[in-house]
Amino acid sequence: MAEFPIVQCAWSTAGEYCSARIPTLHQWCAQSTSEAVIGGVTGSLKEPLTLLLGRYDEAGDLRMVARTTPLTTAVRRELGRQLEPAGIEHPWYGRHFSAGWGTGGELEYSPVRPDLVAEFVADTAIDAGRYRHPVRFVRLRDDLTPQETPPFTA
């Protein structure tokens, strides 16, 4: 059986390092935490499977920046109690998003009122303002308003 090299993964904000055996050479997996507005969900509103996260651009438009990994059952239930459906005034009403990088499928989602802020952990791979890989939900940020999240930058 092949022995894979140990790759150091940097967790940039905390300065901690982890080691993992993965089939690649000299790869850095830098990760950081950030915040974004919850703009939509996949699955049901009462028990969402994943979150669609957005940030406001200079014009005040909510732009999608990330999709989370699947949420745990406890998080699904907690968020399901706080999420509210959005109407036709939602900035993403009628919008279609790709199901994933390089796929032709469309993501089925439900827009929610964009008034909750989520903290997430992500790697630093960003393309045109969007995180290339799914991000991991950490917690709701009740201390932040949607206008206090980092702005969308392409």
Side-chain angles (χ1 to χ4, degrees):
M1 188 161 181
E3 188 72 27
F4 295 116
I6 295 178
V7 175
Q8 296 295 319
C9 297
W11 301 80
S12 61
T13 57
E16 300 171 356
Y17 294 92
C18 66
S19 296
R21 291 195 183 275
I22 58 176
T24 186
L25 295 174
H26 309 298
Q27 176 180 349
W28 284 93
C29 312
Q31 293 190 330
S32 62
T33 61
S34 193
E35 296 83 23
V37 178
I38 301 174
V41 300
T42 62
S44 72
L45 284 175
K46 294 300 172 194
E47 286 201 26
L49 298 175
T50 65
L51 304 175
L52 304 184
L53 305 176
R55 290 185 174 151
Y56 290 98
D57 63 15
E58 291 178 355
D61 296 325
L62 186 62
R63 306 276 302 270
M64 184 171 160
V65 296
R67 179 177 172 191
T68 66
T69 56
L71 304 168
T72 66
T73 302
V75 169
R76 289 177 188 171
R77 291 183 181 141
E78 177 63 28
L79 288 173
R81 289 191 283 272
Q82 299 184 51
L83 294 169
E84 295 181 29
I88 61 171
E89 74 283 352
H90 191 282
W92 296 346
Y93 182 80
R95 293 275 318 265
H96 300 281
F97 297 111
S98 171
W101 289 98
T103 66
E106 288 184 5
L107 184 63
E108 292 185 28
Y109 74 99
S110 300
V112 298
R113 290 188 51 175
D115 49 10
L116 296 176
V117 175
E119 180 179 346
F120 61 89
V121 173
D123 65 30
T124 56
I126 298 174
D127 185 20
R130 289 188 61 189
Y131 290 88
R132 290 189 58 115
H133 306 114
V135 301
R136 186 174 51 82
F137 174 81
V138 175
R139 65 184 172 125
L140 283 178
R141 291 293 305 265
D142 297 331
D143 58 324
L144 295 176
T145 67
Q147 293 71 29
E148 294 175 305
T149 59
F152 176 84
T153 54

